[in-house]
Amino acid sequence: MKLEENLKQSLQAGALKKETIVKLQESLGIKNPHRIPKITKIVINMGVKDALSDKKNVEKAAVVLGKIAGQKPKVMKARKSIATFKLRQGDEIGLVTTLRGKRMYDFFEKLTSIVLPRLRDFHGVSQKSFDGAGNYTLGFSESTVFPEIDPSTVDKIQGLEVTIVTSAHNNSEGYELLKALGMPFQKS
């Protein structure tokens, strides 16, 4: 019984994917279906505010980012020393995780259908956050907008940044791809 349901769902997902591919081919004027842009990875990074004053802040932020991404984040260290910030080379200052494959698509679906609509006064994401090569970056001032995070358990509010890396060659291709996949852009 469950096998039949899974098969039906995968066939429906495949049909949806084919519809998206055809729609993108028409809107971009691309004849070869292998040339159509796609999402290659999603990178989530978090700079930890008081990482230098207390090392446990990095561990607490790692737990939060691990819940959001569904996998353990990598601790990032400072590349060079900056005396004015009392920062030494090798100090732990942030976290990063890279999502690919099924986790990436699950996270993207959660981002577009659950997280973004939960934002207060949300009217769509900006179309100006592309980097020129079709990649899109989205920043959150607090991580509590994600459903996995219970605001009562978080002692320090941390922001995070989500970068959606695509195989698009320019911003217009990246925009069309994300729009076809359901990213809620602002009406211009």
Side-chain angles (χ1 to χ4, degrees):
M1 188 79 168
K2 286 188 176 184
L3 181 64
E4 291 175 8
E5 290 174 17
N6 289 340
L7 184 62
K8 285 181 184 178
Q9 288 177 351
S10 64
L11 288 175
Q12 289 172 350
L16 181 68
K17 188 176 178 183
K18 286 180 185 176
E19 290 173 8
T20 307
I21 288 172
V22 170
K23 194 163 114 178
L24 272 172
Q25 270 185 310
E26 291 172 2
S27 65
L28 296 174
I30 297 172
K31 292 181 182 177
N32 186 353
H34 297 289
R35 163 70 175 74
I36 294 174
K38 57 184 169 277
I39 299 176
T40 56
K41 64 183 175 180
I42 295 179
V43 180
I44 307 167
N45 66 44
M46 176 185 283
V48 182
K49 285 182 184 173
D50 299 326
L52 298 176
S53 62
D54 189 6
K55 301 291 182 194
K56 290 185 180 181
N57 289 336
V58 176
E59 295 169 9
K60 291 175 186 175
V63 170
V64 170
L65 188 58
K67 286 180 182 178
I68 291 171
Q71 68 185 29
K72 185 179 176 186
K74 177 183 171 189
V75 177
M76 299 302 294
K77 297 182 177 185
R79 289 188 214 151
K80 60 182 182 178
S81 299
I82 302 174
T84 55
F85 297 134
K86 297 179 183 174
L87 180 68
R88 291 197 176 132
Q89 183 177 357
D91 284 347
E92 297 178 348
I93 57 169
L95 302 161
V96 67
T97 185
T98 303
L99 304 175
R100 289 184 168 88
K102 185 176 177 350
R103 278 194 184 146
M104 172 186 67
Y105 286 110
D106 290 343
F107 180 81
F108 184 79
E109 182 67 29
K110 177 177 65 171
L111 182 71
T112 57
S113 62
I114 298 171
V115 175
L116 291 175
R118 283 179 70 175
L119 294 176
R120 203 174 313 130
D121 297 330
F122 180 70
H123 301 291
V125 295
S126 174
Q127 297 176 17
K128 298 177 182 177
S129 295
F130 284 96
D131 67 350
N135 305 321
Y136 189 79
T137 302
L138 184 63
F140 292 95
S141 58
E142 55 185 59
S143 60
T144 56
V145 295
F146 287 88
E148 299 87 3
I149 307 302
D150 183 18
S152 62
T153 61
V154 177
D155 25 329
K156 290 197 176 190
I157 295 175
Q158 288 288 128
L160 59 103
E161 189 176 79
V162 177
T163 302
I164 302 167
V165 181
T166 66
S167 63
H169 295 286
N170 54 37
N171 289 349
S172 62
E173 286 183 7
Y175 171 74
E176 290 296 328
L177 169 68
L178 294 180
K179 184 177 169 188
L181 291 175
M183 181 68 88
F185 286 104
Q186 288 177 346
K187 309 266 189 288
S188 45

